[in-house]
Amino acid sequence: MSFRAPVRDLAFALQTVGHPALLARVFPDLDADTVRAVLQAAGGFVEAELAPLNRRGDIEGARYENGRVTAAPGFAEAYRAFAAGGWNSLSADPGFGGQGLPKALELAVFEMVHAANMAFGLCPMLTQAAIEALSQHGTERQKRLVLPRLVSGEWTGTMNLTEPQAGSDLAALTTRAEPDGAGGFRLTGQKIFITWGDHDVADNICHLVLARTPDAPPGVKGISLFLASKRLVNEDGSLGGPNDLRPASIEHKLGIHGSPTCVMLYEGARAELVGELGQGLPHMFVMMNAARLQVGVQGVAIAERAFQQALAFAQERRQGRAVWSGDYPAPIYAHPDVRRTLMLMKAKIEAARAICLTTGVLADLARLAETQEERAAAGARQELLTPIAKAWSTDVGVEVASLGVQVHGGMGFIEETGAAQHYRDARIAPIYEGANGIQANDLVGRKAPMADGAVVRELCAEMLLTAQTLTDTEELAKLGRRLAQGAAALEHATDWLLAHRGPDALAAATPYLKLAGDVIGGWMLGRQALAAAGSPDPWLKGKAALARLYASQVLAQAPALADGLMDGAEDLEATAAEALTG
């Protein structure tokens, strides 16, 4: 089926949960008409150029032959059109050729890109992350010669972290960076799972690589960050000869077949230090956090694509008698459980979308708000929401894609319908850029305890204020009561976590993240429902219906989820062996 860019939903989300008044102070020339114009133009591009390539990319995929990678059919031409349209430069610094637009608007555009063609979107997504890392930590040479070409999309960027023996344990990295005697370094080692590590869609590929210098201490403190490009960069910015690095193979994956995932070999490759020696992991976290938020947006995007296909199928497929009208045969959309499923899919999409866009707004406010107090508050909440945006939204992506297969019934299990591709594509997002269990550990170990829990408590207080306003609105009163119960449950669970650091908190990490995402998502939907309250527009009235369904299906479970996660980890330590033995 054809894909329709959700321009109206995105514009509404930016208007209602994106702190428009605060953002207007930071971007005074940006108005609603400009936002809608950007979204409409991007939507037209992805519908025409990217969505038609999605199925072909899945079937034919990228190819590895004779030491080189060729992109899936049509991807190279589409990428060049993407770069020429300026879509790679939306939020980048105008000093390096960027457009200086808000991060949240860029995320909204990239949601449409990923929904149209997730495998394609991974290439510019990682380039965005490389831009952020070099903007903060690059040398003057790197900013002068490399950064503008990444911003323009002439070159692409990658992130080289893990190795076969390391997995998520980056302290185990062994790639070496030997000084070359001329101020540079030579990289030797193997990196795995390198998304778009090689291709033919752009003139050069800039690899950001974690490695160790000869005298580096063991562990993460011995890791530094290096820039190594596929082709060497001359002092005038022109391209020189090939560097001593190459793809050894590409992986054969469950999904995202159009995205080449490479094993990369560095065989004495010339490289430059990025930032300070021994600070590679903190520097790389700039890139990783940018990518994590973008991956959260991927979860929203693939859910939107799966939902659209499931809705179209449900409206066309006729089976059984409609309980409301008595029509026979009726479209399965007329059956209550199918309709409930579709509304729950849509509600979770809108909740996840709002969480991701809000996190993007906070990223801008953390840099650009007028006062240090505003910047600090925005930065703290951004830190809190980032693991939730990544993990909760990608779990939503998998859940909604799975429900999309379910709505199709047996036809969903058949590849020709396309529903299975969305499920396969969605499944990687909870794994890469920090598996969701790691995000949950980060949330309970670092983010929730910030300021002894004050950041979470302030958020809960805001949610309770919204809950009171909802309770005072007749059509939304039940939503308000359930949001209040959810916010109280989250605050109670946070107090328990702070009192039970260590194994108990870590055992509760994933349920706690789910609780936080469920409640914050309900808050976002509640704010949207308030913005739509009283409107005769059927589309806006639908926002309240989605929020009410979410309250009954999701928020209602929050107190029980909070109660359950506080049971502790005793059985995990004491009796896991007995419980798991066959």
Side-chain angles (χ1 to χ4, degrees), residues 250-281:
I250 60 174
E251 304 293 354
H252 302 284
K253 309 185 296 290
L254 177 69
I256 54 169
H257 297 150
S259 169
T261 303
C262 298
V263 174
M264 296 297 300
L265 299 180
Y266 292 86
E267 301 168 316
R270 297 183 185 182
E272 305 171 20
L273 179 69
V274 177
E276 302 177 29
L277 282 171
Q279 294 298 306
L281 207 53

Side-chain angles (χ1 to χ4, degrees), residues 86-452:
W87 301 114
N88 205 65
S89 62
L90 292 172
S91 71
D93 187 339
F96 300 108
Q99 300 177 50
L101 292 171
K103 172 61 68 176
L105 182 54
E106 178 184 78
L107 292 174
V109 168
F110 267 78
E111 183 197 312
M112 293 187 281
V113 170
H114 293 310
N117 194 325
M118 180 175 163
F120 175 95
L122 279 162
C123 181
M125 183 199 90
L126 286 170
T127 303
Q128 301 303 313
I131 288 168
E132 294 207 21
L134 290 181
S135 294
Q136 291 193 36
H137 298 297
T139 65
E140 288 305 311
R141 180 183 187 277
Q142 290 157 7
K143 292 179 179 179
R144 175 173 57 88
L145 299 179
V146 176
L147 194 51
R149 288 165 177 82
L150 290 174
V151 169
S152 70
E154 295 172 69
W155 301 349
T156 67
T158 74
M159 179 163 49
N160 288 237
L161 280 75
T162 196
E163 300 169 8
Q165 77 288 348
S168 297
D169 182 10
L170 298 182
L173 300 181
T174 60
T175 296
R176 304 189 315 277
E178 303 275 353
D180 65 3
F185 293 83
R186 295 277 188 162
L187 296 181
T188 303
Q190 181 186 105
K191 296 290 184 177
I192 61 171
F193 301 152
I194 310 307
T195 301
W196 283 87
D198 193 60
H199 56 75
D200 61 345
V201 309
D203 294 336
N204 202 11
I205 306 171
C206 300
H207 301 283
L208 287 170
V209 185
L210 291 180
R212 297 181 182 281
T213 52
D215 56 350
V220 295
K221 293 182 179 180
I223 298 172
S224 299
L225 181 61
F226 299 89
L227 171 65
S229 57
K230 179 178 180 178
R231 293 181 61 187
L232 301 173
V233 181
N234 298 320
E235 285 301 319
D236 62 357
S238 62
L239 292 177
N243 204 349
D244 294 316
L245 58 91
R246 60 186 175 89
S249 63
I250 60 174
E251 304 293 354
H252 302 284
K253 309 185 296 290
L254 177 69
I256 54 169
H257 297 150
S259 169
T261 303
C262 298
V263 174
M264 296 297 300
L265 299 180
Y266 292 86
E267 301 168 316
R270 297 183 185 182
E272 305 171 20
L273 179 69
V274 177
E276 302 177 29
L277 282 171
Q279 294 298 306
L281 207 53
H283 295 342
M284 181 62 91
F285 263 104
V286 174
M287 189 174 189
M288 289 178 68
N289 281 330
R292 284 172 175 174
L293 181 52
Q294 279 268 11
V295 170
V297 171
Q298 279 187 346
V300 181
I302 201 69
E304 174 69 32
R305 186 69 184 268
F307 163 75
Q308 287 192 21
Q309 180 158 338
L311 176 61
F313 181 85
Q315 291 171 331
E316 295 168 1
R317 173 72 167 171
R318 292 185 173 273
Q319 186 173 307
R321 187 176 301 278
V323 296
W324 285 300
S325 69
D327 292 345
Y328 179 86
I332 62 172
Y333 175 77
H335 301 317
D337 190 60
V338 173
R339 196 169 295 187
R340 179 200 61 82
T341 299
L342 290 165
M343 288 185 68
L344 183 60
M345 292 164 74
K346 178 71 169 175
K348 287 199 169 186
I349 290 166
E350 296 208 348
R353 173 181 289 135
I355 290 173
C356 290
L357 293 181
T358 297
T359 308
V361 171
L362 292 168
D364 280 327
L365 295 177
R367 293 185 303 113
L368 303 171
E370 293 178 357
T371 69
Q372 174 58 33
E373 183 180 9
E374 288 177 323
R375 291 192 294 273
R381 185 166 292 184
Q382 177 201 357
E383 286 191 53
L384 177 71
L385 290 185
T386 294
I388 299 169
K390 192 278 178 184
W392 193 80
S393 300
T394 55
D395 283 344
V396 164
V398 174
E399 179 186 356
V400 170
S402 179
L403 289 172
V405 173
Q406 191 73 17
V407 169
H408 282 75
M411 297 302 294
F413 206 67
I414 305 301
E415 284 288 350
E416 283 78 3
T417 64
Q421 181 192 343
H422 307 319
Y423 184 58
R424 289 187 286 101
D425 286 352
R427 193 58 193 84
I428 184 58
I431 298 173
Y432 58 20
E433 309 311 338
N436 285 359
I438 293 173
Q439 303 300 318
N441 288 347
D442 178 49
L443 179 63
V444 302
R446 298 183 180 89
K447 305 304 171 56
M450 288 188 299
D452 198 29

